[in-house]
């Protein structure tokens, strides 16, 4: 689900860290030091972070690292909780399919959501 959510303007009590660029699913995406990966993904407009085994999307739920619904792949490490991982310049973030595969990897192999491989 994609929803355009512009970031709040800095000022009037809102301070923001320096601007950085992260890569989300192969796309350069603006972010700020001091915000979580989940906040950067939400500001980018796509609320899903992964798909479950049944193919249903998952995303930010508890926001404090307890529920594990916001799992993403960060710099090649699957199962990283987006809500408690801080953005850093050059970070590579990918939304993941069920066993920690990048979405495009699962689709390319034919093992997309809800499909098991024969091998």
């Amino acid at each position: 689900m994609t929803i355009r959510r512009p970031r709040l303007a800095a000022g009037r009590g809102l301070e923001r860290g320096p601007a950085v660029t992260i890569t989300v699913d192969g796309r350069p995406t603006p972010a700020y030091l001091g915000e979580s990966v989940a906040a950067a993904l939400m500001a980018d407009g796509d609320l899903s972070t992964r798909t479950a085994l049944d193919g249903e999307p998952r995303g930010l739920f508890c926001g404090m690292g307890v529920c594990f619904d916001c799992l993403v792949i960060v710099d090649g490490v699957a199962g990283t909780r987006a809500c408690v991982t801080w953005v850093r310049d050059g970070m590579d973030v990918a939304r993941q399919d069920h066993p920690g595969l990048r979405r495009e990897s699962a689709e390319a192999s034919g093992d997309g959501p809800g499909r098991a491989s024969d091998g």
Side-chain angles (χ1 to χ4, degrees):
M1 169 187 293
T2 301
I3 298 174
R4 281 287 150 223
R5 295 182 184 266
R7 284 192 165 89
L8 296 173
R12 295 187 179 176
L14 176 63
E15 294 182 26
R16 189 171 273 132
V20 296
T21 300
I22 64 174
T23 303
V24 176
D25 295 328
R27 255 182 332 98
T29 303
Y32 295 90
L33 291 181
E35 72 182 3
S36 67
V37 170
L41 293 174
M42 287 182 3
D44 190 45
D46 191 342
L47 301 180
S48 69
T49 57
R50 67 181 183 96
T51 57
L53 285 172
D54 62 3
E56 290 295 313
R58 296 290 186 261
L60 186 63
F61 182 70
C62 75
M64 59 184 188
V66 176
C67 72
F68 290 82
D69 264 353
C70 66
L71 298 179
V72 293
I73 302 169
V74 174
D75 294 330
V77 179
T80 303
R81 291 173 290 171
C83 69
V84 295
T85 302
W86 304 117
V87 164
R88 67 181 176 282
D89 194 30
M91 176 182 273
D92 180 44
V93 179
R95 291 174 176 88
Q96 71 180 46
D97 277 327
H98 45 286
L101 300 174
R102 287 178 180 263
R103 284 189 180 171
E104 63 273 9
S105 297
E107 290 168 4
S109 70
D111 286 343
R115 294 182 203 77
S117 70
D118 295 331

